Amino acid sequence: MARLSNTEKRQLVAATKRRSAQSAPVLPPLSPRAYMEFATFAARFGPVTKPVRFVGDEWKL
């Protein structure tokens, strides 16, 4: 981990004290039906198995 210079420390402190120009958007909660439709749609994209390609003789886990 790198050490921060005094200038970088001051910049971080100043950034935390500043207010953001825009607040984060608030997402409306999903209805149970909308959630089920989304979950059904997302379930189509199952995990894909990818081959593990270790190359070389000297590798460690």
Side-chain angles (χ1 to χ4, degrees), residues 29-60:
L30 292 176
S31 68
R33 178 183 174 93
Y35 177 77
M36 289 303 293
E37 289 176 357
F38 167 75
T40 304
F41 172 75
R44 296 180 193 158
F45 304 103
V48 178
T49 56
K50 294 184 178 182
V52 179
R53 296 185 190 114
F54 288 113
V55 180
D57 295 330
E58 297 183 27
W59 56 272
K60 296 179 182 179

